[in-house]
């Protein structure tokens, strides 16, 4: 009877581990980047081209203000070479996640912290509207920030 229970437990563990699927692919020949939103992911993909692998945590239609990170998100962040996020409180709870899983040498890029704040719309005394992609001039600054960071991380493939 004991052998049957052990065999059943073994089979169940095989089934459960076989069902696990992590769609994050780490490519050692490229920069592996996690972007919090699809719009940031698109920006990074367009600049990095075939030298980057980008994974978006939140697809289109997901509200980044209310998004809760999953265990899979944390694994992706920990494996990545760079985490790109808005940085103007767009992602709400994600900055707490970042601080909880910070590891030595982890690279974060908060786009909103590197653009000209004089161009941003103030929502109150201490906050700005995080939807910076609506202003082309600010989004161009964001693209420059991404380009500079990617060039810094991968000097061999930098053309700037």
């Amino acid at each position: 009877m004991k052998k049957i229970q052990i065999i059943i437990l073994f089979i169940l563990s095989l089934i459960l581990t076989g069902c696990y699927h992590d769609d994050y692919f780490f490519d050692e020949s490229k920069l592996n980047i996690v972007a919090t939103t699809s719009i940031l992911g698109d920006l990074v993909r367009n600049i990095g081209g075939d030298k980057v692998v980008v994974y978006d945590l939140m697809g289109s239609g997901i509200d980044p203000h209310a998004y809760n990170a999953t265990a899979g998100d944390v694994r992706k962040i920990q494996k990545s070479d760079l985490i790109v996020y808005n940085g103007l409180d767009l992602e709400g709870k994600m900055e707490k996640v970042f601080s909880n899983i910070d590891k030595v040498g982890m690279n974060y890029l908060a786009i909103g912290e590197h653009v000209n704040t004089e161009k941003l719309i103030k929502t109150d005394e201490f906050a700005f509207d995080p939807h910076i992609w609506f202003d082309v001039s600010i989004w161009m600054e964001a693209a420059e920030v991404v380009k500079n960071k990617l060039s810094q991380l991968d000097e061999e493939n930098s053309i700037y």
Side-chain angles (χ1 to χ4, degrees):
M1 187 67 168
K2 194 84 157 160
K3 281 187 176 182
I4 292 174
Q5 288 176 335
I6 292 172
I7 292 171
I8 290 172
L9 284 173
F10 178 73
I11 291 171
L12 283 173
S13 67
L14 285 176
I15 291 170
L16 291 175
T17 57
C19 293
Y20 172 75
H21 173 69
D22 189 350
D23 58 351
Y24 183 74
F25 175 75
F26 187 86
D27 185 340
E28 292 198 22
S29 68
K30 299 180 181 190
L31 284 177
N32 294 270
I33 301 168
V34 169
T36 54
T37 63
S38 59
I39 196 160
L40 290 172
D42 288 342
L43 180 67
V44 175
R45 271 185 214 88
N46 282 310
I47 294 169
D50 64 354
K51 305 298 181 198
V52 298
V53 175
V54 182
Y55 184 85
D56 306 335
L57 293 180
M58 303 171 220
S60 58
I62 303 293
D63 179 5
H65 302 289
Y67 185 78
N68 287 311
T70 66
D73 293 341
V74 172
R75 279 191 298 276
K76 291 169 184 76
I77 291 167
Q78 289 173 322
K79 291 180 183 179
S80 68
D81 298 310
L82 175 65
I83 299 94
V84 178
Y85 66 106
N86 182 280
L88 295 171
D89 295 324
L90 177 76
E91 294 90 347
K93 302 169 188 169
M94 289 302 296
E95 289 186 42
K96 183 175 182 181
V97 171
F98 298 152
S99 66
N100 287 337
I101 62 169
D102 196 17
K103 66 179 184 186
V104 175
M106 186 171 278
N107 284 300
Y108 291 97
L109 179 58
I111 300 290
E113 293 176 6
H114 298 279
V115 297
N116 183 352
T117 56
E118 291 177 9
K119 292 182 181 179
L120 298 176
I121 299 168
K122 278 194 150 205
T123 55
D124 65 36
E125 187 178 349
F126 302 106
F128 298 101
D129 180 358
H131 306 93
I132 58 177
W133 56 90
F134 289 131
D135 184 318
V136 174
S137 67
I138 298 173
W139 200 236
M140 288 172 58
E141 286 183 44
E144 186 73 18
V145 168
V146 170
K147 179 203 69 148
N148 292 340
K149 186 64 172 183
L150 295 181
S151 296
Q152 174 193 359
L153 292 175
D154 188 5
E155 291 177 4
E156 181 180 315
N157 290 306
S158 174
I159 59 173
Y160 301 100

